[in-house]
Amino acid sequence: MDVHRCRFVPYPPSAINALAFSHSSSPKTSSRGLSTLRLAIGRANGDIEIWNPLRGAWYQESTFPGGKERSIEGLVWTHDPEEKDKNGANVPGRLRLFSIGYSSVVTEWDLGNGTPLRHASGNYGDLWCIAAQPRQQVTQKKDDNTINGSTEEIAQYQSLAVGCADGSIVLLSTADGDLKFERTLTRPAKKKARVLSIAWQSKYIVVTGHADSTIRVFDIRNGQQVRSMSLGTGPQGGPKEILLWSIKCLVDGTIVSGDSTGTVSFWDGKHYSPLQRIMSHKADILELAVSRDGGSVFSGGMDRRTILYRRSAGTRPSEKRRWVEVAHQRFHSHDVKAMAIFEAKGFSVMASGGLDTAPIIVPVQEYGKEHHRTLPCLPQHPPVRSAPRKRLLLSWWDREISLWRIATSLQTLVESNEYEDPSQSPTKRLVAKVLIQGEESITCADILKDGSFLAVSTLSTVKVFRLKTKSDSTVGLRKIELPNELRNIGAKIVQWSPDGRWLLAVTSDDKIRAMRAFGWDDSKKVPRFLPQTVDFKRMPRKTLRPNHLHGSLGAYDRSIARVAFSADSRILAVGDLSGHIDTWVLEGHEDMMQDPPMIRPNDDSMSSSSSTDSSDESDKSDEEGHPTLVYAQHWKRNPTAHLIPKLASGPLIMSFRPTISTSLPPKALTNGNGHLHPTRHNPYPHSHDLPTGEDRLFIVTAEHQFHEINVLAGRISDWSRRNPTSILPDEFNSLKDRAMGCIWDVAPSSLTNLRRQRIWLYGNTWLWMFDLAQDLPRSHHNEDDSDEPHTGELNNKSKLRKRKREEETRKRDLVLSMDHDDDASSGAVRKERDTGAGSRIAPHEMTTGVGRKMRKTTGAKGEDARFVRLGRDVSDESGSEDEDEEDAEDQALMRLRRGEAVTMVNGDGDDTVKEGAKSQREEMRKGPPYWGTFKYRPILGIVPIGEAEGDEDDDAITGTDGERTGGRRTVEVALVERPMFDVDLPGRYYGDQEWSEKKDADVRL
């Protein structure tokens, strides 16, 4: 693969201003069952990112776009109380997300649409901080029909407390699913000290930190100030007033504050008196985070340090336990502005962020025993596209679009005898730049493969531009007027079909609409869109009702995440966050002799009508009886769509295999239905032929599971059946960053009958290749030590569990008796699960706590001495048995499908061997079945660039651009990198011992 490394694309990541978990910490709740847990990240450009922890996988599910001069300065979640449905069953309460910015408005967001749902404002100053009331249960009497005196625990709606720049504190009510003003706790004083931080000490007590060196405590029941605590004046030579940037409350009521002097202060929560002060930072402390049990406190500030405090154990029983600084580390390269903690059973992390734009995940319970993890600061869905035929690279951010032309590679020029001096021909050139009018940010953009048309979308509109190369090699853009019915269609996803006839738009409310273009092939005519849109309706799905204690995200899980067209543009697939895949097929053949589509009044299933009141049965009957014909073609639901299985997690990548054919594709006819003739009863005849091209859809899920589906057959493909996820390489399974996109490298070979069918997957820090023309080798940890043919066991749980227990006993003994420095231990010890951040730190690399090894001697003289490693029992991992059983069954099925010998065990425990001859495969392979590298980072996106060329004798390849190309041996791509040292960041604080770093920064400036 020929790679153009591009670092000129202007995509500046935005600073993180706010972080919030959707749930409060619950140590008794298992993180594996908390499916609704999300992390919201608010950025300075107004974007809100929703991250799914996914048991430590951590991937960006969606982004709520911001706009011009918008910023997110605070985020909070609330959990509405449960309700009863008409059958008396409990309905989980909704999880709701609220934000504030540099204004007097509190915004509630629609999680399903990613748009503001409602606003609340009033006659008060700009909002500086926000906090949600603790969710607590209240005791209430049941109905009169119940036994006298019986009560039940009922949750209440949570109020919001916001602090304003004029010193006032305002309460907002979220009752009945609304957001409205409730009351003002305090009016601004003459001094008008800004409220910089706010926290709830209990259900009725609010603690605020002000810009006048004062902490104030209020009771919301009577609106009175309970106590005022002063920190005194500022340090000598500095400002007189101390700024209370952060306030937090522990579970026992203790108040913790962080201020502009770099001091963490602890206050008694009952008498409101000072307990202890620790001056730990060299600059302002901007944020604090506390653990659920109140035993750990984190602080972060302008000096880039993250510090952990814990209570020390007193030497005497009567001695008070004091807070001490346990450890500090610079996880961030700039100011730390936001922190949030979530703890559950087996999951305990702290998320932090700041001006360096990258979220950091730090372990809490296992601090010092596990690595921290840096999440990507770049979007999960790459904001880059390309037009390979014109060598154009498209990128966008905020409201700006840039179009670059990539020069032909030097190697290609040499091979074609057109060598030029590289200094005389620049490798790239900015040929167009567009600023979209309005205040909304761009949600998506796409360009045709021939570089002729560009589509751009925001949440309120979709715009289409025609591109034409000028004499000076720049590109001119001309806006195409859309019909009135299409002007106000906003979209979060826009995508051209490979043949350029359809423009697909997915609206913010997840409606799928396709616009038919015509007149694009004739340069003398003005291209237009048909005034009607074809609407696609997804199949109704029965989703599992979440636990009523965990809350509900509403329609968020049904949000469409990915879309894909087949190479012939006749199959459409969409996937949502819950893992459901919906598919449609384009029936019939194009007939340009027919009139534009006739929308019949009772056509409710595939028309421009927005009505969704009819039932699915009536929609299906209307679709079959009165289809919407577009030039004799008709989009219909895939007949086998109901057979496509649901994925275990949402799709990250969806892409159809490019088409390889040994014959030229037929030319498009003016009348594709020449054998059909109109009649009185059928004035618009059309063919019912379904697509016959490539229908294999390759999917990578958020859990990095591979699935390839034959869409028209509604089943898993043969390659996917032979290569389950359990045999993926260990190196790939160990990747932390999730996949972002893929590039196909498909080419026939004139030397052998084998074809190269490679797919290149990439994430933020890695690039991997898998050759789908070959079967993956079995991983080393799944192979037997004996030389006999590998056998697997099926349908015998008892034997598998017995063997598993014996293996775990052997490994546990090995862990207690082996020295970690022994090289053999790395492959023999079972991998431990982490608590949601990074992987475990090797004992010899730990920098905190006591030693992890002790010397154990036996005998009177200690002749038998060995080192024993201390730590938790690696065999005590919930769910490990079930997962290993599934892996064993997958391995056995894989070998069975490959035709290898497999041992089948029946229910009685008798072994019956089914001999299957091993399939004969070609010895000569086109390279390895997989390959990976970490050379490129951080990757913003990879797109194909340039036309593929090959010999006339090679088979034809029809790629996603729908055109016939030759059999090029390698694919040419533009790999866009966005390293952080190229990002312009504000100046940062340098400590007393950082002379060299400050000197290097001054040199760069």
Side-chain angles (χ1 to χ4, degrees), residues 447-475:
I447 187 173
L448 277 179
K449 304 305 178 182
D450 59 359
S452 56
F453 292 93
L454 168 67
V456 184
S457 69
T458 65
L459 291 180
S460 61
T461 184
V462 174
K463 298 182 179 181
V464 180
F465 300 90
R466 185 171 188 176
L467 281 63
K468 188 175 182 180
T469 304
K470 298 180 180 179
S471 56
D472 57 352
S473 299
T474 60
V475 175

Short mmCIF file of all heavy atoms in Angstrom, two decimals, residues 447-475:
data_model
loop_
_atom_site.label_atom_id
_atom_site.label_comp_id
_atom_site.label_asym_id
_atom_site.label_seq_id
_atom_site.Cartn_x
_atom_site.Cartn_y
_atom_site.Cartn_z
N ILE A 447 -18.08 13.65 -0.82
CA ILE A 447 -17.76 14.08 -2.18
C ILE A 447 -17.82 12.89 -3.10
O ILE A 447 -17.45 11.76 -2.71
CB ILE A 447 -16.36 14.75 -2.21
CG1 ILE A 447 -16.08 15.36 -3.58
CG2 ILE A 447 -15.28 13.77 -1.81
CD1 ILE A 447 -14.79 16.19 -3.62
N LEU A 448 -18.30 13.10 -4.32
CA LEU A 448 -18.33 12.01 -5.30
C LEU A 448 -16.92 11.58 -5.67
O LEU A 448 -15.97 12.35 -5.59
CB LEU A 448 -19.08 12.45 -6.55
CG LEU A 448 -20.61 12.35 -6.52
CD1 LEU A 448 -21.21 12.84 -7.82
CD2 LEU A 448 -21.05 10.93 -6.24
N LYS A 449 -16.79 10.33 -6.08
CA LYS A 449 -15.47 9.79 -6.37
C LYS A 449 -14.79 10.49 -7.53
O LYS A 449 -13.56 10.50 -7.61
CB LYS A 449 -15.58 8.29 -6.66
CG LYS A 449 -16.24 7.49 -5.54
CD LYS A 449 -15.56 7.71 -4.21
CE LYS A 449 -16.26 6.96 -3.09
NZ LYS A 449 -15.62 7.21 -1.78
N ASP A 450 -15.57 11.08 -8.45
CA ASP A 450 -14.96 11.81 -9.55
C ASP A 450 -14.76 13.28 -9.23
O ASP A 450 -14.34 14.05 -10.10
CB ASP A 450 -15.81 11.66 -10.82
CG ASP A 450 -17.23 12.19 -10.64
OD1 ASP A 450 -17.56 12.66 -9.53
OD2 ASP A 450 -18.01 12.12 -11.60
N GLY A 451 -15.07 13.69 -8.01
CA GLY A 451 -14.83 15.05 -7.60
C GLY A 451 -15.73 16.08 -8.25
O GLY A 451 -15.37 17.26 -8.30
N SER A 452 -16.91 15.68 -8.67
CA SER A 452 -17.79 16.61 -9.38
C SER A 452 -18.80 17.29 -8.46
O SER A 452 -19.20 18.42 -8.74
CB SER A 452 -18.53 15.89 -10.50
OG SER A 452 -19.26 14.78 -9.99
N PHE A 453 -19.20 16.64 -7.37
CA PHE A 453 -20.22 17.21 -6.50
C PHE A 453 -19.86 16.97 -5.04
O PHE A 453 -19.27 15.95 -4.69
CB PHE A 453 -21.60 16.62 -6.81
CG PHE A 453 -22.12 17.03 -8.16
CD1 PHE A 453 -21.90 16.24 -9.28
CD2 PHE A 453 -22.82 18.22 -8.31
CE1 PHE A 453 -22.37 16.62 -10.52
CE2 PHE A 453 -23.29 18.61 -9.56
CZ PHE A 453 -23.06 17.81 -10.66
N LEU A 454 -20.24 17.94 -4.23
CA LEU A 454 -19.96 17.93 -2.80
C LEU A 454 -21.25 18.17 -2.04
O LEU A 454 -22.03 19.06 -2.39
CB LEU A 454 -18.93 19.02 -2.46
CG LEU A 454 -18.70 19.34 -0.98
CD1 LEU A 454 -18.04 18.17 -0.28
CD2 LEU A 454 -17.84 20.60 -0.83
N ALA A 455 -21.49 17.36 -1.01
CA ALA A 455 -22.66 17.50 -0.15
C ALA A 455 -22.19 17.80 1.27
O ALA A 455 -21.28 17.14 1.79
CB ALA A 455 -23.52 16.25 -0.18
N VAL A 456 -22.82 18.78 1.91
CA VAL A 456 -22.48 19.20 3.27
C VAL A 456 -23.77 19.30 4.07
O VAL A 456 -24.79 19.77 3.55
CB VAL A 456 -21.74 20.56 3.28
CG1 VAL A 456 -21.32 20.92 4.68
CG2 VAL A 456 -20.55 20.52 2.36
N SER A 457 -23.72 18.87 5.32
CA SER A 457 -24.93 18.88 6.14
C SER A 457 -24.65 19.50 7.50
O SER A 457 -23.56 19.37 8.06
CB SER A 457 -25.48 17.46 6.33
OG SER A 457 -24.61 16.69 7.14
N THR A 458 -25.66 20.18 8.02
CA THR A 458 -25.74 20.57 9.42
C THR A 458 -27.06 20.00 9.94
O THR A 458 -27.80 19.35 9.20
CB THR A 458 -25.70 22.09 9.58
OG1 THR A 458 -26.88 22.67 8.98
CG2 THR A 458 -24.46 22.68 8.93
N LEU A 459 -27.37 20.27 11.19
CA LEU A 459 -28.61 19.73 11.74
C LEU A 459 -29.85 20.45 11.22
O LEU A 459 -30.97 20.01 11.49
CB LEU A 459 -28.59 19.81 13.27
CG LEU A 459 -27.59 18.86 13.96
CD1 LEU A 459 -27.67 19.03 15.46
CD2 LEU A 459 -27.86 17.41 13.56
N SER A 460 -29.68 21.53 10.48
CA SER A 460 -30.82 22.27 9.96
C SER A 460 -30.91 22.29 8.45
O SER A 460 -31.97 22.62 7.90
CB SER A 460 -30.78 23.73 10.46
OG SER A 460 -29.60 24.38 10.01
N THR A 461 -29.85 21.95 7.74
CA THR A 461 -29.89 22.04 6.28
C THR A 461 -28.87 21.09 5.65
O THR A 461 -27.91 20.66 6.29
CB THR A 461 -29.61 23.48 5.82
OG1 THR A 461 -29.74 23.57 4.40
CG2 THR A 461 -28.21 23.90 6.21
N VAL A 462 -29.13 20.79 4.36
CA VAL A 462 -28.19 20.04 3.52
C VAL A 462 -27.91 20.89 2.29
O VAL A 462 -28.84 21.36 1.63
CB VAL A 462 -28.75 18.67 3.11
CG1 VAL A 462 -27.82 17.98 2.11
CG2 VAL A 462 -28.96 17.79 4.32
N LYS A 463 -26.64 21.07 1.97
CA LYS A 463 -26.25 21.88 0.83
C LYS A 463 -25.42 21.03 -0.13
O LYS A 463 -24.62 20.19 0.30
CB LYS A 463 -25.44 23.10 1.27
CG LYS A 463 -26.24 24.05 2.16
CD LYS A 463 -25.42 25.27 2.54
CE LYS A 463 -26.24 26.22 3.42
NZ LYS A 463 -25.48 27.43 3.79
N VAL A 464 -25.64 21.26 -1.43
CA VAL A 464 -24.93 20.53 -2.48
C VAL A 464 -24.21 21.55 -3.36
O VAL A 464 -24.80 22.57 -3.76
CB VAL A 464 -25.89 19.66 -3.31
CG1 VAL A 464 -25.12 18.92 -4.41
CG2 VAL A 464 -26.62 18.67 -2.42
N PHE A 465 -22.94 21.28 -3.67
CA PHE A 465 -22.13 22.17 -4.50
C PHE A 465 -21.60 21.38 -5.70
O PHE A 465 -21.28 20.19 -5.59
CB PHE A 465 -20.95 22.75 -3.71
CG PHE A 465 -21.36 23.55 -2.51
CD1 PHE A 465 -21.51 22.93 -1.27
CD2 PHE A 465 -21.58 24.90 -2.62
CE1 PHE A 465 -21.86 23.67 -0.16
CE2 PHE A 465 -21.94 25.65 -1.52
CZ PHE A 465 -22.09 25.03 -0.29
N ARG A 466 -21.50 22.10 -6.81
CA ARG A 466 -20.88 21.52 -8.01
C ARG A 466 -19.45 22.03 -8.10
O ARG A 466 -19.19 23.22 -7.96
CB ARG A 466 -21.65 21.92 -9.26
CG ARG A 466 -21.13 21.25 -10.53
CD ARG A 466 -22.04 21.50 -11.70
NE ARG A 466 -21.65 20.70 -12.87
CZ ARG A 466 -22.33 20.67 -14.00
NH1 ARG A 466 -23.45 21.39 -14.12
NH2 ARG A 466 -21.92 19.92 -15.00
N LEU A 467 -18.51 21.11 -8.31
CA LEU A 467 -17.09 21.44 -8.33
C LEU A 467 -16.60 21.43 -9.77
O LEU A 467 -16.91 20.52 -10.55
CB LEU A 467 -16.28 20.44 -7.51
CG LEU A 467 -16.26 20.61 -5.98
CD1 LEU A 467 -17.66 20.43 -5.40
CD2 LEU A 467 -15.29 19.63 -5.32
N LYS A 468 -15.82 22.45 -10.10
CA LYS A 468 -15.26 22.55 -11.45
C LYS A 468 -13.86 23.11 -11.36
O LYS A 468 -13.62 24.14 -10.70
CB LYS A 468 -16.13 23.45 -12.33
CG LYS A 468 -15.71 23.45 -13.79
CD LYS A 468 -16.67 24.26 -14.64
CE LYS A 468 -16.27 24.22 -16.11
NZ LYS A 468 -17.21 25.01 -16.94
N THR A 469 -12.92 22.44 -12.01
CA THR A 469 -11.53 22.85 -11.97
C THR A 469 -11.32 24.06 -12.87
O THR A 469 -11.74 24.09 -14.04
CB THR A 469 -10.61 21.71 -12.42
OG1 THR A 469 -10.85 20.57 -11.60
CG2 THR A 469 -9.15 22.11 -12.30
N LYS A 470 -10.63 25.07 -12.34
CA LYS A 470 -10.36 26.29 -13.09
C LYS A 470 -9.02 26.18 -13.81
O LYS A 470 -8.29 25.19 -13.67
CB LYS A 470 -10.35 27.50 -12.13
CG LYS A 470 -11.68 27.73 -11.43
CD LYS A 470 -11.58 28.95 -10.51
CE LYS A 470 -12.89 29.20 -9.79
NZ LYS A 470 -12.81 30.37 -8.88
N SER A 471 -8.71 27.21 -14.56
CA SER A 471 -7.48 27.19 -15.34
C SER A 471 -6.24 27.23 -14.47
O SER A 471 -5.18 26.72 -14.85
CB SER A 471 -7.45 28.40 -16.30
OG SER A 471 -7.60 29.61 -15.56
N ASP A 472 -6.34 27.82 -13.28
CA ASP A 472 -5.19 27.88 -12.39
C ASP A 472 -5.12 26.68 -11.45
O ASP A 472 -4.45 26.72 -10.41
CB ASP A 472 -5.22 29.16 -11.57
CG ASP A 472 -6.51 29.30 -10.77
OD1 ASP A 472 -7.42 28.48 -10.98
OD2 ASP A 472 -6.60 30.24 -9.95
N SER A 473 -5.84 25.60 -11.79
CA SER A 473 -5.86 24.34 -11.05
C SER A 473 -6.61 24.43 -9.72
O SER A 473 -6.65 23.44 -9.00
CB SER A 473 -4.43 23.83 -10.78
OG SER A 473 -3.76 23.60 -12.00
N THR A 474 -7.17 25.58 -9.40
CA THR A 474 -8.02 25.64 -8.23
C THR A 474 -9.41 25.11 -8.59
O THR A 474 -9.72 24.86 -9.75
CB THR A 474 -8.13 27.08 -7.71
OG1 THR A 474 -8.69 27.91 -8.74
CG2 THR A 474 -6.77 27.61 -7.29
N VAL A 475 -10.22 24.92 -7.58
CA VAL A 475 -11.55 24.35 -7.77
C VAL A 475 -12.59 25.40 -7.40
O VAL A 475 -12.54 25.98 -6.30
CB VAL A 475 -11.73 23.08 -6.91
CG1 VAL A 475 -13.16 22.56 -7.02
CG2 VAL A 475 -10.75 22.01 -7.35
#
